[in-house]
Amino acid sequence: MKDRITEEKIERLISQMTLREKIGQLNMVPSPSGEDEAVFEMLRRGEIGAFIMSNTAHAYSEDSVSADEALINKMHRIAAEESRLGIPLICGRDVIHGHYTVLPIPIALAASFDFDAVRECYSDVAREAARDGIQWAFTPMLDLARDPRWGRIIEGPGEDPYVGEKLAEAVVKGLQGDDPSSEQSVAACAKHYIGYGAAEGGRDYHKTEITDYTLRNFYLPAFRSAVDSGVLTVMNSFNEIGGQPTGSSRYLLTEVLKQELGFDGFVVSDWFSVQQLVNQGVAEDEAQAAALSLNAGVDMDMSDRCYIDRLEALVTEGRVSEEALDEAVRRVLRVKFRLGLFEHPYVPVYRQDRAAHMSRARALSASCMVLLKNNGVLPLKKNSRLALLGSMANEKATLLGMWCLDGNPNHVISIAEGIKSKIEEGGAVNGCGTDLSDEQLMHLQWSDAAVLCIGESRYVTGEAASLTTLEISDSDILLAKKAKERGIPVVAVMCFGRPRATEELEPYCDAILYAWHGGTAAGGAVADILFGDVNPSAKLPVTLPRKTGQVPIYYNVSSSGRFVNGYYGEREHEQNYLDCDCTPMYPFGFGLSYSRFEISDISLSQDSIPYEKLKDGGKIKVSAKLRNISERDGWEVVQLYIRDRVASMTRPIRELKGAEKVWVEAGDAKTVEFELGFKELGFYKGDKSFDVEKGKFEVYVGNSCYADLKAELRVI
Ligand code: NOJ
């Protein structure tokens, strides 16, 4: 919400700024790694508005390099005290899923369905980052993605808009806190706006084709939620949609994001994406690229110097209006005021309780790990004799996941360490191999179970890391097979960034824990689950295919005219594919617990509601009974889905509209309640209007998208 006094201050400042100073506010450059007189001079002249702190750590390296506090403060001092108007800098960094304490990768966070915990952990992230002079974190990444070949699927919420909304809110509110001007808060950045996850063939940076209908119903909701949660900045994406790069789309940036969604912070370009308009072929040169971007609504230029080098001439020539320039400056200043940077630009000093951050990270990491299969071998006894196999058993750096600039691999708990720390008298851990030598085979012989830790390198996930093959490697399958042939149970712990096709591995595994890249505390969290100290509770935020050829495969698909909807097992004789079972390996929303639950007694507060009442805020209450029919206390994520049976446009067979993570003691039962209102029952139509259409809705409650406990509702 804009406040009058701040807006007046902004206008006063703008009225005093030279053209060069205005353009300077829109210029983000990499921060220097040491004393740099040329940069200091630019600061004095007011030609730098922001730093991207990309030089203070070695991105993707194993070394963690802490920021140079004295240098950062010196640069703030020059901007605040030696420049003509004393406008503070803003320093941003890719703090994506943790700073020193690294959380699981974002797609794993989505699997937790515990968005309060995510929010709390992100305020720990903010506390760690802000203490290092970081005022702005380039996260959350909110790109809905249906194709796990795309390496960046690891950075976002997965395939569902509702999960995207929840993750957006949790991360934005966690980082920015209740008061973004607090020294321990940092600005969030919702990215990459928009449609980046729809890259053709999963090839990073590639083109996308997204209709307005799909944009608004699938890709936009997470960004809308970020805006509603007060996100201070948004980053545009690299892709084009239907022939228009997002960074040159006035429609997407100004009309949709700023006007329709009401975003009043600033838009920053992604790294060199202004200049890349030349490569994309919509700009002849950097000057045209700068004009297109600024006029479309990109307020700040990240690193490619197109604005600082070209805008002055463009304004003088009238290719960019001074009003457009002022509007961009206004937005940047607004964020700086909201962050309190005019009052406290310097690196703040306070104490942090890193041990508390680590213990929350460990609990969250465990609640992100999805138990896919368990024939009873889990939980393991602490006096078990275990053979520990696979390349991930002793791994540390991998568990930090991609897009982690400051996590120190030496601080990571490996799976082997986690397991060994729990073993009690009589138990033992042997092995740790990737090929089965005679000695290891002998160990297997007298083991109670094999724990097979497999995974993918973090370097094949993230940006520019797409794959064509999602199947598990032959060597990992062979390892599982050999272990199984010894007649002992095999527990697979899968440390992957993206959904993988597990079909060929399945027959050799008695249990499968999808542990993702789980962050600093990952190995401890794996052990917490394997030995039953924590009851698994996560659910897949994305579909796991059987084979790569099935992708894109996602649950919220609409019905085909011939009911050939393999996901839901419809129409067996007309298949989606002839050479593969058409169902997914594991569906969206699926995940096991050590407890057993029964969901029953669905009921609606009323089975019909007048359209007008709904529009006026009327709600339908949906309730169901959740029974824990086991002897273990545990969490269950109860999920609410709807299906709009007949509408003017095709609607998904299932759409998630609510998810409650509920703790139920053994033998106990709880009533779980949801609400359905105008927002949940409506959709954006082709003409961009949002409405609820009268008629029949099916309402489902269950513990995956296969929920079949059903009630019917009519909007009349
Ligand atoms: C490129 C990435 O797409 C984006 O996510 C990141 O924040 C920027 N570079 C800055 O490093």
Side-chain angles (χ1 to χ4, degrees):
M1 273 277 269
K2 290 184 197 163
D3 89 274
R4 197 176 47 82
I5 296 175
T6 307
E7 295 301 309
E8 282 169 8
K9 284 186 190 162
I10 293 170
E11 294 313 317
R12 213 170 307 130
L13 260 181
I14 290 181
S15 70
Q16 298 168 45
M17 291 168 86
T18 63
L19 182 55
R20 193 75 188 149
E21 284 166 342
K22 289 179 185 173
I23 296 168
Q25 282 307 305
L26 314 184
N27 183 30
M28 174 194 260
V29 298
S31 56
S33 41
E35 299 276 323
D36 188 329
E37 256 319 310
V39 170
F40 299 160
E41 249 329 288
M42 284 181 78
L43 283 171
R44 278 185 200 104
R45 292 197 300 265
E47 291 178 350
I48 296 175
F51 280 124
I52 169 166
M53 300 166 84
S54 50
N55 290 336
T56 50
H58 302 285
Y60 315 131
S61 91
E62 311 295 271
D63 303 318
S64 182
V65 178
S66 53
D68 181 344
E69 197 171 315
L71 179 63
I72 297 173
N73 277 337
K74 176 170 180 174
M75 295 190 294
H76 281 305
R77 195 158 37 248
I78 296 174
E81 294 172 25
E82 297 176 27
S83 74
R84 200 174 68 88
L85 294 170
I87 300 175
L89 283 164
I90 178 168
C91 294
R93 183 168 174 78
D94 283 301
V95 176
I96 306 297
H97 53 103
H99 189 51
Y100 293 114
T101 309
V102 180
L103 306 175
I105 52 173
I107 195 165
L109 296 175
S112 74
F113 279 84
D114 187 346
F115 299 105
D116 291 340
V118 171
R119 178 176 174 168
E120 200 180 3
C121 285
Y122 266 92
S123 61
D124 294 343
V125 173
R127 207 168 298 122
E128 289 186 6
R131 177 62 191 87
D132 269 358
I134 296 158
Q135 296 157 327
W136 176 21
F138 303 138
T139 201
M141 194 274 230
L142 301 174
D143 297 308
L144 182 131
R146 298 163 164 173
D147 193 335
R149 290 173 297 180
W150 189 52
R152 303 201 80 170
I153 195 171
I154 71 149
E155 294 174 55
E159 71 195 38
D160 182 64
Y162 172 86
V163 175
E165 286 175 355
K166 293 287 171 193
L167 194 66
E169 183 185 1
V171 177
V172 170
K173 290 189 173 166
L175 289 174
Q176 296 187 177
D178 295 331
D179 175 11
S181 74
S182 146
E183 287 189 321
Q184 299 186 24
S185 299
V186 301
C189 181
K191 69 185 190 186
H192 307 84
Y193 184 86
I194 194 171
Y196 184 30
E200 224 174 51
R203 294 184 285 275
D204 205 2
Y205 314 126
H206 267 252
K207 63 173 294 191
T208 68
E209 293 288 347
I210 305 174
T211 62
D212 258 307
Y213 171 76
T214 307
L215 184 84
R216 280 155 204 282
N217 290 304
F218 291 95
Y219 290 91
L220 261 187
F223 285 91
R224 189 186 291 276
S225 161
V227 171
D228 292 346
S229 305
V231 73
L232 290 168
T233 72
V234 170
M235 187 186 294
N236 75 260
S237 56
F238 288 127
N239 57 295
E240 61 161 270
I241 300 184
Q244 188 62 250
T246 61
S248 58
S249 170
R250 188 171 165 80
Y251 168 62
L252 291 171
L253 292 170
T254 298
E255 291 176 33
V256 178
L257 176 67
K258 294 181 178 176
Q259 292 167 1
E260 191 180 317
L261 269 54
F263 172 64
D264 64 4
F266 70 80
V267 174
V268 62
S269 63
D270 199 349
W271 186 263
F272 278 68
S273 72
V274 177
Q275 193 191 57
Q276 284 166 21
L277 295 179
V278 177
N279 303 349
Q280 286 171 293
V282 295
E284 195 177 352
D285 51 23
E286 286 186 3
Q288 196 185 355
L292 277 173
S293 296
L294 197 283
N295 288 332
V298 175
D299 304 304
M300 184 182 279
D301 179 12
M302 186 194 284
S303 298
D304 58 24
R305 296 192 58 106
C306 288
Y307 281 13
I308 194 73
D309 290 346
R310 311 287 169 178
L311 273 181
E312 220 168 336
L314 290 168
V315 173
T316 316
E317 290 160 17
R319 289 165 71 188
V320 168
S321 68
E322 192 137 7
E323 291 75 59
L325 184 72
D326 285 356
E327 175 57 11
V329 176
R330 189 173 289 125
R331 287 171 175 273
V332 171
L333 295 178
R334 187 177 292 135
V335 169
K336 291 183 174 180
F337 274 112
R338 284 186 182 161
L339 279 173
L341 301 183
F342 284 85
E343 285 81 47
H344 50 78
Y346 301 107
V347 180
V349 179
Y350 50 82
R351 291 179 66 79
Q352 304 164 56
D353 185 354
R354 291 266 186 86
H357 297 181
M358 181 72 166
S359 96
R360 281 193 281 271
R362 180 166 176 160
L364 183 58
S365 187
S367 74
C368 293
M369 296 178 179
V370 192
L371 184 64
L372 295 175
K373 180 175 180 179
N374 184 16
N375 68 7
V377 57
L378 294 181
L380 298 167
K381 294 201 177 66
K382 289 184 178 160
N383 61 1
S384 302
R385 289 161 309 168
L386 299 173
L388 199 50
L389 309 172
S391 58
M392 290 294 134
N394 282 314
E395 211 15 79
K396 289 186 175 229
T398 302
L399 303 185
L400 290 174
M402 209 39 178
W403 275 119
C404 160
L405 302 189
D406 301 284
N408 186 338
N410 297 326
H411 297 162
V412 174
I413 307 172
S414 71
I415 298 175
E417 287 168 351
I419 288 181
K420 284 177 187 162
S421 72
K422 302 242 178 197
I423 289 291
E424 290 174 357
E425 212 183 317
V429 181
N430 285 295
C432 294
T434 51
D435 66 339
L436 289 176
S437 61
D438 291 347
E439 193 189 339
Q440 283 161 343
L441 282 174
M442 196 189 71
H443 283 315
L444 284 181
Q445 206 117 313
W446 55 262
S447 297
D448 297 317
V451 179
L452 173 66
C453 306
I454 59 174
E456 66 189 329
S457 152
R458 56 183 174 150
Y459 301 108
V460 300
T461 72
E463 188 175 346
S466 298
L467 295 177
T468 59
T469 309
L470 300 172
E471 279 71 18
I472 306 301
S473 73
D474 290 345
S475 54
D476 282 342
I477 292 174
L478 187 66
L479 213 50
K481 184 165 181 268
K482 285 202 171 181
K484 187 73 187 159
E485 281 167 2
R486 308 311 290 188
I488 56 169
V490 176
V491 177
V493 178
M494 301 187 62
C495 304
F496 289 89
R498 51 160 70 74
R500 285 291 190 146
T502 58
E503 190 174 55
E504 288 171 37
L505 180 72
E506 288 282 324
Y508 311 113
C509 300
D510 296 275
I512 301 178
L513 182 68
Y514 216 83
W516 312 99
H517 290 157
T520 315
V526 166
D528 289 340
I529 290 184
L530 294 186
F531 292 104
D533 292 336
V534 170
N535 195 346
S537 61
K539 303 283 178 181
L540 290 174
V542 70
T543 300
L544 257 52
R546 292 172 186 277
K547 290 194 162 61
T548 309
Q550 286 180 302
V551 304
I553 179 169
Y554 50 96
Y555 89 96
N556 39 14
V557 64
S558 53
S559 177
S560 78
R562 297 180 73 94
F563 295 118
V564 191
N565 302 306
Y567 200 109
Y568 293 93
E570 287 183 338
R571 200 60 174 261
E572 274 168 26
H573 56 283
E574 279 180 326
Q575 299 272 344
N576 288 147
Y577 299 105
L578 298 178
D579 59 349
C580 174
D581 184 328
C582 299
T583 57
M585 194 70 234
Y586 294 103
F588 174 88
F590 175 80
L592 300 170
S593 155
Y594 295 149
S595 310
R596 273 175 301 112
F597 296 99
E598 202 175 71
I599 302 175
S600 64
D601 302 328
I602 186 169
S603 85
L604 306 184
S605 53
Q606 60 207 85
D607 52 20
S608 72
I609 183 165
Y611 170 89
E612 289 71 25
K613 199 162 171 210
L614 204 55
K615 199 159 184 190
D616 281 353
K619 307 261 186 213
I620 303 285
K621 283 202 166 43
V622 182
S623 66
K625 183 141 286 166
L626 172 66
R627 274 197 191 81
N628 184 339
I629 52 170
S630 67
E631 282 160 17
R632 265 199 83 120
D633 304 347
W635 295 99
E636 179 60 298
V637 180
V638 183
Q639 300 158 45
L640 172 76
Y641 294 86
I642 64 159
R643 180 174 187 179
D644 186 347
R645 273 318 301 208
V646 181
S648 56
M649 305 195 71
T650 63
R651 302 295 303 132
I653 295 174
R654 293 278 191 286
E655 280 182 278
L656 185 66
K657 293 295 173 185
E660 291 293 328
K661 193 158 186 168
V662 188
W663 176 255
V664 193
E665 286 174 10
D668 209 353
K670 279 193 178 154
T671 300
V672 185
E673 286 188 339
F674 302 94
E675 279 187 345
L676 287 172
F678 199 74
K679 174 181 185 283
E680 288 74 25
L681 295 171
F683 68 98
Y684 287 90
K685 305 206 211 177
D687 65 0
K688 303 171 198 167
S689 64
F690 183 86
D691 207 358
V692 173
E693 292 190 358
K694 291 180 183 175
K696 188 164 99 178
F697 289 79
E698 290 168 355
V699 180
Y700 296 90
V701 177
N703 54 11
S704 81
C705 68
Y706 285 167
D708 54 7
L709 186 67
K710 176 169 126 182
E712 277 184 10
L713 169 69
R714 273 200 168 271
V715 178
I716 50 177

